[in-house]
């Protein structure tokens, strides 16, 4: 058997140089919903490189086949085009449940669908987990804290969310997803993990994502005006995507079942953030102030004591380093777009 495994490993490593080959005992079948999206595709890379079998379920609303195409054809990988609002029947050991639009312009495009995805979709995933006895990790969000009255936000804070505002489809959708997770845990014994993810950035963010990182970088790269919504005094704390993936994998491996913040506690005003990007890109872009958006949270910074204590996790990538990689990614994407427009 060892000889056979070595032979297969040799074949795999020829096609996919860095894939390890796990023996059957350690290899898991892992479902990643939303695996063709920004965060999901980085997580898929990590799980595939560790030698697991990975099934991606995605309806390609905001995700793209391109994000995972390098795995298509690999024997450990499967890409399923499916909308999680409808039931799905698979046999898996672990589920990372990431399917949901994440950027405000995307989730506001179809608020009803955003609610259905986070409620009905999450029920289907928890129903599946219950049937097959899989561990589930739910991708929740710092938005469950709304426009917070407590700063920094720790997991014990219950939040301050407008239930009928333009962000409610997402914020309340995720709050129900959390409620559902703990109801399935208490009533049905499902093993759940809840990650409250704070603002994350990196390569493979959608060009038209509309979030601040992609907007500012693209504006700076094209010498367009950098658009600040409102005074620019509102704050956010940005984490690089590889740190988030480390945190998600550590959470899944742990026995910790309470919600846990995964984010980088280094906080900046949006105005400072615009200047940092302007400086890193070296652009002449003007910085302009546009109207404030409704219900925009004014301050956001994670308290990550829980993640440090229970997962031995903290972010490693400094903001400037992560931004440089992301700027290079967007510069290449712009070149590709220009090239395809010419042809
Ligand atoms: P993304 O939009 O890039 O990825 C979401 C993926 O889910 C996409 O591939 C999309 O096509 C898929 N999807 C959406 N609705 C679906 C449905 N009904 N059925 C099947 N697939 C569906 O977003 P992301 O930034 O990668 O976010 C991933 C997860 O992390 C989301 O659940 C999001 O709420 C959460 N999150 C992200 C951030 C962040 O800053 N990126 C912050 C907090 C929470
Ligand atoms: N479900 C699913 N896949 C499964 C098991 C369940 O999609 O493998 C869906 C099923 O359609 C159901 C939901 O998950 O509507 C919740 O399942 P649960 O067992 O809690 O509810 P019930 O089937 O008893 O209504
Ligand atoms: N923002 C901005 N200009 C932009 C996009 C966003 O000033 O072009 C602001 C936005 O109002 C918010 C912050 O940047 O205060 C983060 O916005 P994003 O949409 O990235 O994420 P979220 O509000 O969900 O944290």
């Amino acid at each position: 058997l060892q000889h056979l495994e070595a032979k297969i490993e040799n074949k795999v490593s020829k096609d996919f140089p860095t894939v390890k080959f796990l023996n059957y005992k350690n290899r898991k079948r892992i479902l990643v919903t939303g695996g063709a999206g920004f965060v999901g595709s980085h997580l898929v890379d990590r799980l595939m490189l560790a030698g697991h079998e990975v099934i991606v379920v995605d309806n390609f609303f905001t995700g793209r086949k391109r994000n995972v195409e390098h795995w298509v054809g690999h024997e450990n990988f499967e890409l399923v085009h499916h909308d999680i609002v409808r039931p799905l029947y698979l046999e898996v050991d672990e589920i990372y449940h990431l399917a949901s639009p994440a950027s405000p312009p995307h989730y506001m495009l179809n608020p009803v669908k955003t609610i259905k995805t986070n409620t009905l979709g999450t029920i289907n995933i928890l129903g599946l987990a219950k049937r097959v006895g899989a561990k589930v990790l739910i991708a929740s969000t710092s938005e469950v804290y709304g426009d917070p009255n407590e700063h920094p936000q720790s997991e014990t804070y219950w939040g301050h969310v407008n239930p009928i505002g333009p962000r409610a489809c997402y914020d309340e959708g995720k709050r129900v997803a959390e409620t559902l997770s703990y109801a399935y845990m208490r009533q049905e014994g499902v093993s759940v993990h809840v990650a409250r993810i704070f603002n994350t950035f990196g390569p493979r963010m959608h060009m038209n994502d509309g979030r601040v990182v992609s907007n500012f970088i693209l504006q700076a790269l094209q010498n367009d005006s950098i658009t600040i919504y409102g005074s620019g005094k509102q704050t956010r704390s940005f984490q690089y995507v590889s740190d988030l993936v480390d945190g998600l994998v550590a959470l899944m491996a742990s026995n910790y079942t309470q919600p846990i913040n995964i984010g980088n506690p280094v906080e900046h005003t949006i105005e400072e953030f615009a200047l940092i990007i302007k400086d890193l890109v070296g652009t002449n872009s003007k910085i302009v102030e546009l109207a404030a958006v409704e219900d925009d949270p004014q301050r956001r910074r994670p308290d990550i004591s829980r993640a440090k204590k229970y997962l031995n996790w903290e972010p490693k990538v400094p903001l400037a380093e992560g931004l440089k990689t992301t700027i290079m990614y967007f510069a290449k994407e712009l070149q590709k777009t220009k090239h395809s427009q010419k042809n």
Side-chain angles (χ1 to χ4, degrees), residues 102-105 107 142-143 167 170 199 209-213 215-216 219 226-230 232 234-236 238 270 292-293 296-298 300:
S103 102
Y107 65 65
S142 53
E143 300 276 347
R167 302 174 83 98
Y170 183 71
N199 296 63
D209 191 271
R211 279 182 278 193
V212 71
V213 180
N215 275 9
F216 284 6
Q219 289 161 346
I226 297 180
T227 55
I228 289 184
Y229 303 157
Q234 71 271 36
T235 70
R236 291 292 187 275
F238 296 97
I270 293 303
V293 293
D296 201 356
Q298 289 307 296
R300 185 181 291 157

Side-chain angles (χ1 to χ4, degrees), residues 283-323:
T283 174
N284 296 321
S285 294
K286 276 191 303 189
I287 295 182
V288 296
E289 224 177 81
L290 302 184
V293 293
E294 204 179 328
D295 290 344
D296 201 356
Q298 289 307 296
R299 296 188 76 186
R300 185 181 291 157
R301 171 155 64 97
D303 175 337
I304 58 164
S305 331
R306 252 191 206 181
K308 278 188 183 161
K309 181 168 170 194
Y310 293 101
L311 307 181
N312 195 20
W313 173 91
E314 61 182 317
K316 295 190 198 100
V317 182
L319 181 66
E321 200 182 297
L323 281 175

Side-chain angles (χ1 to χ4, degrees), residues 86-90 123-125 127-128 130-131 184:
R86 283 192 276 137
L88 67 163
Y89 289 84
L90 296 162
I123 290 179
N124 287 333
I125 295 306
L128 168 64
K130 170 184 137 187
R131 183 178 61 78
Y184 270 85

Side-chain angles (χ1 to χ4, degrees), residues 156-217:
T156 50
Y157 178 50
W158 289 358
H160 180 223
V161 173
N162 174 359
I164 56 166
R167 302 174 83 98
C169 57
Y170 183 71
D171 300 8
E172 298 288 20
K174 290 285 185 182
R175 286 169 68 98
V176 174
E178 289 199 8
T179 310
L180 283 165
S181 304
Y182 290 104
Y184 270 85
M185 182 173 93
R186 287 193 193 106
Q187 189 179 322
E188 309 288 355
V190 175
S191 165
V192 300
H193 301 280
V194 173
R196 291 189 180 149
I197 303 169
F198 282 65
N199 296 63
T200 305
F201 71 96
R204 300 195 196 139
M205 282 185 95
H206 210 286
M207 290 269 268
N208 308 321
D209 191 271
R211 279 182 278 193
V212 71
V213 180
S214 44
N215 275 9
F216 284 6
I217 293 179

